[in-house]
Amino acid sequence: MNSVGEACTELKREYDQCFNRWFAEKFLKGESGGDPCGQLFKRYQLCVQKAIKEKDIPIEGLEFMGASKAKTENSS
Amino acid sequence: MGKYCASLGVLKGPWDQVFAAFWQRYPNPYSKHVLTEDIVHREVTADHKLLSRRLLTKTNRMPRWAERFFPANVAHSVYILEDSIVDPKNRTMTTFTWNINHARLMVVEERCVYRVNPENSNWTEVKREAWVSSSLFGVSRAVQEFGLARFKSNVTKSTKGFEYVLAKMQGEAPSKTLVETAKEATEKAKETALAATEKAKDLASKAATKKKQYV
């Protein structure tokens, strides 16, 4: 799948691979060990956040999970 | 106003497989309209939940009549944010997805809750809710209110004008009273129209910034 920043697609793929492995083998099993994908994530984010700014995509200042509709019995 | 719909569905896989698949959904044969996918925020909370924000770009497919009505919207893809909380301890995942552009035309919000199917622990239940709203609805209400107010003030002028002319025909010199009444009517009509315009403005701005009620 392509990234919104054309130059970031490769970095995204590398990060996704690392994340998917960590997610299934560690995170879901409750292991809270360090996230091994930190570096890859940083590199990917640097690229994609720049692309987002360049394309004027309005992702700033938006509350996580939206406002009222996200309230659920699960939210902490 | 706006539309609401809800559904309950099932994915025939265990919760952990479903949650892993969630991050590997794109591309797939049914996602030709999804152009890009990016994680723009991710963190693990102290209580071992994964918070993520995913940015998607999708094509903006509209029926031809809509393209004619909203030509400015045709050229732009839709940007969508999907926020999610994965809670492996409770084996649940909650997502909230909405569009961050084309919002003046229409906003679609979707909230999903994934959990282990109570009847079959090898399956995953998906509860889905969606809200579809448009600030155009508020604009049409404002237009109606204004139209009605202007009509009423015109009825006042029409009646007074009629009475005036009738009185003249009946030989009565248009008395001061009648002329003053005509002046009053014009003043009153102006006030009514002004009030209606204020109300219409208020309705239109309320519609634009409307906070949705969570049911």
Side-chain angles (χ1 to χ4, degrees):
Chain A
M1 197 66 219
N2 289 334
S3 165
V4 72
E6 295 80 14
C8 315
T9 299
E10 213 22 66
L11 293 170
K12 168 184 142 63
R13 290 225 183 102
E14 279 176 26
Y15 166 70
D16 280 348
Q17 256 183 348
C18 179
F19 169 80
N20 287 327
R21 201 177 309 127
W22 168 82
F23 184 76
E25 294 171 11
K26 296 268 157 43
F27 179 76
L28 289 184
K29 302 200 164 130
E31 294 178 36
S32 40
D35 172 13
C37 311
Q39 277 308 328
L40 289 172
F41 188 61
K42 266 198 201 104
R43 283 214 313 248
Y44 165 47
Q45 286 302 292
L46 263 157
C47 183
V48 81
Q49 296 291 347
K50 181 159 164 277
I52 285 168
K53 275 215 176 62
E54 279 167 4
K55 296 188 183 221
D56 257 319
I57 302 176
I59 65 168
E60 292 306 315
L62 294 169
E63 230 184 289
F64 187 68
M65 297 300 273
S68 53
K69 290 207 184 56
K71 294 209 190 86
T72 104
E73 56 277 3
N74 295 327
S75 73
S76 41
Chain B
M1 273 291 118
K3 296 289 183 188
Y4 171 80
C5 74
S7 68
L8 198 60
V10 136
L11 286 165
K12 295 193 176 141
W15 68 276
D16 53 338
Q17 201 177 61
V18 169
F19 294 2
F22 182 70
W23 300 114
Q24 303 176 52
R25 266 190 312 166
Y26 302 118
N28 69 70
Y30 300 90
S31 72
K32 297 224 160 58
H33 61 291
V34 181
L35 304 172
T36 72
E37 169 202 34
D38 283 288
I39 302 295
V40 297
H41 178 83
R42 187 164 261 156
E43 67 179 272
V44 180
T45 65
D47 55 352
H48 203 77
K49 292 191 180 137
L50 180 74
L51 311 185
S52 309
R53 175 165 276 182
R54 182 155 47 173
L55 169 68
L56 302 167
T57 3
K58 298 188 186 177
T59 57
N60 180 27
R61 302 137 296 151
M62 293 192 284
R64 204 146 297 165
W65 65 263
E67 289 187 346
R68 262 185 263 125
F69 261 100
F70 312 111
N73 293 79
V74 177
H76 302 272
S77 304
V78 188
Y79 295 126
I80 288 151
L81 285 183
E82 173 209 80
D83 286 350
S84 58
I85 302 175
V86 181
D87 182 352
K89 289 208 185 109
N90 292 311
R91 304 178 170 189
T92 64
M93 174 167 72
T94 306
T95 71
F96 186 67
T97 308
W98 76 107
N99 58 298
I100 59 174
N101 66 341
H102 297 276
R104 248 182 257 142
L105 172 48
M106 171 170 65
V107 174
V108 180
E109 295 160 296
E110 177 205 62
R111 181 173 156 274
C112 296
V113 180
Y114 296 73
R115 60 170 195 161
V116 178
N117 185 321
E119 262 121 59
N120 180 344
S121 61
N122 283 322
W123 289 0
T124 306
E125 174 194 274
V126 186
K127 181 175 81 153
R128 192 185 302 264
E129 293 176 281
W131 295 263
V132 180
S133 58
S134 172
S135 67
L136 294 180
F137 185 83
V139 170
S140 76
R141 274 175 66 217
V143 169
Q144 280 176 175
E145 291 282 346
F146 158 72
L148 186 63
R150 186 173 64 180
F151 172 76
K152 285 185 182 166
S153 96
N154 282 347
V155 168
T156 305
K157 290 202 264 187
S158 161
T159 308
K160 293 299 178 190
F162 220 132
E163 287 171 350
Y164 179 87
V165 171
L166 207 54
K168 265 180 93 177
M169 275 175 85
Q170 290 164 357
E172 293 172 30
S175 71
K176 249 198 196 160
T177 329
L178 273 175
V179 172
E180 269 162 17
T181 312
K183 264 207 193 126
E184 276 172 32
T186 313
E187 280 314 302
K188 182 139 194 273
K190 269 199 194 141
E191 281 170 30
T192 313
L194 199 62
T197 311
E198 287 311 303
K199 183 163 190 208
K201 271 196 212 158
D202 181 55
L203 276 174
S205 83
K206 272 210 185 97
T209 62
K210 201 161 77 126
K211 287 225 158 76
K212 287 147 200 96
Q213 298 292 311
Y214 176 68
V215 169

